[in-house]
Amino acid sequence: MKSVLNIELLNKFQAVAQGPDGDLLINLLDILYARIADQENDDQYLSPDDLEAIRRGQEDMQGGRFLSLEDYRSGKRL
């Protein structure tokens, strides 16, 4: 079954690549392929705890609970 899907995908790809949108398809494929390569070479990831901390920080910023870098450097605290 997998080879049938691959053949169908290849046929569709070839049809689009030979048409007026061929350049667009190739550019999109290059972008997607680069993303995969970047992900494979990326040994860093965000843990669930990291994502939760980012979410809380975004909520704090939206609620006005933050200091500017200038205020922080001058010693102000929340």
Side-chain angles (χ1 to χ4, degrees):
M1 183 72 170
K2 187 175 180 180
S3 64
V4 172
L5 292 176
N6 288 340
I7 291 170
E8 288 178 22
L9 180 61
L10 181 58
N11 289 338
K12 289 177 183 179
F13 183 86
Q14 287 175 335
V16 174
Q18 294 171 0
D21 294 324
D23 289 340
L24 177 62
L25 178 63
I26 299 300
N27 289 338
L28 178 60
L29 183 61
D30 287 341
I31 291 168
L32 294 174
Y33 188 78
R35 285 182 59 192
I36 290 171
D38 288 345
Q39 290 171 357
E40 289 174 354
N41 295 325
D42 187 7
D43 61 350
Q44 296 182 0
Y45 65 94
L46 296 176
S47 70
D49 290 340
D50 295 332
L51 295 172
E52 177 61 21
I54 291 169
R55 186 194 63 73
R56 285 192 318 268
Q58 289 172 326
E59 286 179 357
D60 284 342
M61 290 175 63
Q62 289 173 348
R65 296 178 300 275
F66 63 90
L67 290 174
S68 68
L69 183 57
E70 183 178 283
D71 286 344
Y72 175 79
R73 286 182 176 163
S74 70
K76 293 184 182 178
R77 300 292 181 257
L78 288 176

